Amino acid sequence: MPKCSLRGTNSYNQQEEKMNPKRTTAMTLAATSVVLLAACGDKVPSCADPATVSLVQQIYQQSFDKEHASMSPERQRSVQITSKNTKVNVESITTARSDESTGKKTCSAVLTAVMPQDAIPTDQRMLNHLRGTYEPQGAALDGNTVKGNVTYTVQRTEDSKEILVKLTGHLAFMGLFHDLAMLRVFDKSEAEIAKIAGEAQPATEAKPAEPTPAEVSPVAQPAPAAAVPAPANTAPAAAPVTPPANVTAAAPAVTVPHLCTAAETPIFACSTGKKRASVCTGRAGGNEQLTYRIAPLEGAVEMEYPSGGSAAASAFQRGSQLGQDGTAVNFLSFDKGNYRYVVYAGDGDNGRKGVVVEQSGKRIADLRCQSDAMSRIDPAQLQKMGLSIDSRTLPLQ
């Protein structure tokens, strides 16, 4: 008896499916794989047939690869660190319906993937957020196993007798997997990421020891300039402002108008059309501080937070999520009474920027930057400043 051979083509039916706030829309709702099973008769294979199950896994992987290819190289690497060693299985297979006249079968199953233990968030708020987002869509986290309910159909075409398999419902599972993979390396240093990925860390170049003052040739030492006292109330015209520890000294000068003082450095500044908003960083009392200010374009500051000079770690939170175009959106947030303010900035100079205001969890304003915008909101630097993660989503439209 001849063995069955598997050959065919793969195609995609592109649709849109609303997902979670981090992945507002996603493509490839239904990925369809068409194959020909030669010398196997006219019978439609069952839902649990190994060839059917293999096709379901192939369809999921193709959808995953398509989504993966749309990400930035940095995010591709972050997700691949987890995905390359994680297998997706098809379990708990049942036949929900079978049409005797056509042989078409409608199947239900559960996709599963065992995640590395360090990919599971220890922050209960983040776990609650993930559960609240994905469980209504049919995906859940059971210990360190991601599970997702899916449906697929298997039938034979009438003309060519090829087997047609269509998979739906897998995007919630894929979204939860992506988020856990990203959280696994979120805010990790390059050395930590390389260790998780099993990559060789670049060798640290040995720097020649700097000579002590006594070893420096007197000829090479410039003669001290004569001190010229400046007027009591006048600062030297060319005196640079010393940047705080979390700002790179070599960063280009900020030319965008901002609301920061001479002792502060702006990490966010823009015009929203009628107002100007800024986030400034500085030091006071040994603490690194962040200050948010907003003012009319031609008026005085109408709001400043925090007003008491609190340390950045106690006044602000940090976060990151995917925008509608798949790029990262980093944000700073703080709560003032029953209001929540979120300063956000998408990746790149042309990324979307602005300020979102919520009242009792409901968005009441999205002040988008219109012109003269800049942002140096760096998640790694914010982590070094001690800011905790804001597990609430950023409600962009």
Side-chain angles (χ1 to χ4, degrees), residues 345-392:
D347 276 347
D349 294 336
N350 297 322
R352 177 176 168 182
K353 302 176 180 64
V355 180
V356 164
V357 183
E358 294 180 299
Q359 183 180 21
S360 302
K362 182 179 180 181
R363 191 183 70 169
I364 60 175
D366 184 359
L367 307 176
R368 299 189 186 186
C369 296
Q370 303 297 320
S371 60
D372 293 333
M374 63 78 64
S375 174
R376 293 181 189 155
I377 297 178
D378 184 346
Q381 296 295 347
L382 297 180
Q383 180 193 21
K384 292 178 181 179
M385 295 174 73
L387 273 65
S388 61
I389 295 177
D390 187 347
S391 59
R392 298 167 294 182

Side-chain angles (χ1 to χ4, degrees), residues 173-319:
F173 173 88
M174 187 166 65
L176 180 54
F177 184 98
H178 271 97
D179 284 352
L180 290 171
M182 289 300 302
L183 288 170
R184 186 185 183 195
V185 298
F186 184 70
D187 286 344
K188 296 288 193 303
S189 68
E190 187 60 34
E192 291 172 319
I193 293 175
K195 183 177 181 180
I196 293 174
E199 300 171 352
Q201 299 184 28
T204 303
E205 295 182 2
K207 295 183 178 180
E210 296 184 0
T212 62
E215 296 171 334
V216 179
S217 169
V219 177
Q221 297 182 6
V228 179
N233 298 324
T234 304
V241 177
T242 302
N246 65 303
V247 177
T248 303
V254 177
T255 58
V256 175
H258 55 80
L259 302 173
C260 302
T261 68
E264 297 173 331
T265 299
I267 62 170
F268 177 92
C270 83
S271 166
T272 64
K274 295 182 179 180
K275 294 182 182 292
R276 190 170 299 285
S278 296
V279 177
C280 313
T281 182
R283 295 186 68 87
N287 295 321
E288 294 196 42
Q289 295 182 327
L290 288 172
T291 304
Y292 167 84
R293 297 185 182 96
I294 191 166
L297 288 181
E298 303 299 331
V301 172
E302 60 186 20
M303 175 182 170
E304 180 179 298
Y305 178 88
S307 58
S310 302
S314 62
F316 291 83
Q317 290 184 297
R318 58 188 166 91

Side-chain angles (χ1 to χ4, degrees), residues 7-269:
R7 62 185 178 87
T9 60
N10 298 301
S11 61
Y12 287 95
N13 294 328
Q14 292 189 338
Q15 302 179 26
E16 282 192 350
E17 176 183 74
K18 186 175 182 181
M19 295 186 65
N20 64 78
K22 288 188 176 182
R23 319 175 82 84
T24 309
T25 59
M27 305 302 292
T28 64
L29 169 62
T32 304
S33 181
V34 180
V35 298
L36 178 66
L37 297 175
C40 292
D42 295 333
K43 186 178 180 181
V44 176
S46 67
C47 293
D49 187 283
T52 305
V53 173
S54 176
L55 281 174
V56 171
Q57 292 175 311
Q58 289 178 42
I59 295 168
Y60 171 80
Q61 189 61 49
Q62 290 165 355
S63 297
F64 185 94
D65 292 343
K66 189 176 181 68
E67 174 78 3
H68 189 68
S70 67
M71 298 179 177
S72 66
E74 180 183 357
R75 286 181 172 270
Q76 287 183 19
R77 179 196 176 208
S78 297
V79 172
Q80 190 178 24
I81 287 172
T82 299
S83 65
K84 68 180 181 181
N85 296 320
T86 306
K87 182 180 179 181
V88 175
N89 296 307
V90 184
E91 302 177 357
S92 303
I93 301 171
T94 59
T95 303
R97 187 168 60 254
S98 180
D99 189 328
E100 295 183 1
S101 62
T102 63
K104 179 179 180 179
K105 296 178 176 62
T106 301
C107 318
S108 297
V110 177
L111 298 181
T112 66
V114 178
M115 305 292 288
Q117 191 59 50
D118 62 351
I120 310 305
T122 56
D123 187 338
Q124 190 61 46
R125 293 181 304 171
M126 177 58 72
L127 283 173
N128 292 339
H129 165 69
L130 292 173
R131 287 169 178 151
T133 299
Y134 288 106
E135 287 184 1
Q137 301 180 56
L141 186 60
D142 183 5
N144 66 328
T145 301
V146 180
K147 296 183 176 182
N149 299 321
V150 295
T151 300
Y152 57 94
T153 59
V154 55
Q155 65 186 115
R156 190 181 293 277
T157 60
E158 294 182 4
D159 52 354
S160 61
K161 301 302 180 181
E162 293 175 321
I163 297 300
L164 181 72
V165 175
K166 178 184 290 186
L167 173 66
T168 60
H170 55 289
L171 285 186
F173 173 88
M174 187 166 65
L176 180 54
F177 184 98
H178 271 97
D179 284 352
L180 290 171
M182 289 300 302
L183 288 170
R184 186 185 183 195
V185 298
F186 184 70
D187 286 344
K188 296 288 193 303
S189 68
E190 187 60 34
E192 291 172 319
I193 293 175
K195 183 177 181 180
I196 293 174
E199 300 171 352
Q201 299 184 28
T204 303
E205 295 182 2
K207 295 183 178 180
E210 296 184 0
T212 62
E215 296 171 334
V216 179
S217 169
V219 177
Q221 297 182 6
V228 179
N233 298 324
T234 304
V241 177
T242 302
N246 65 303
V247 177
T248 303
V254 177
T255 58
V256 175
H258 55 80
L259 302 173
C260 302
T261 68
E264 297 173 331
T265 299
I267 62 170
F268 177 92

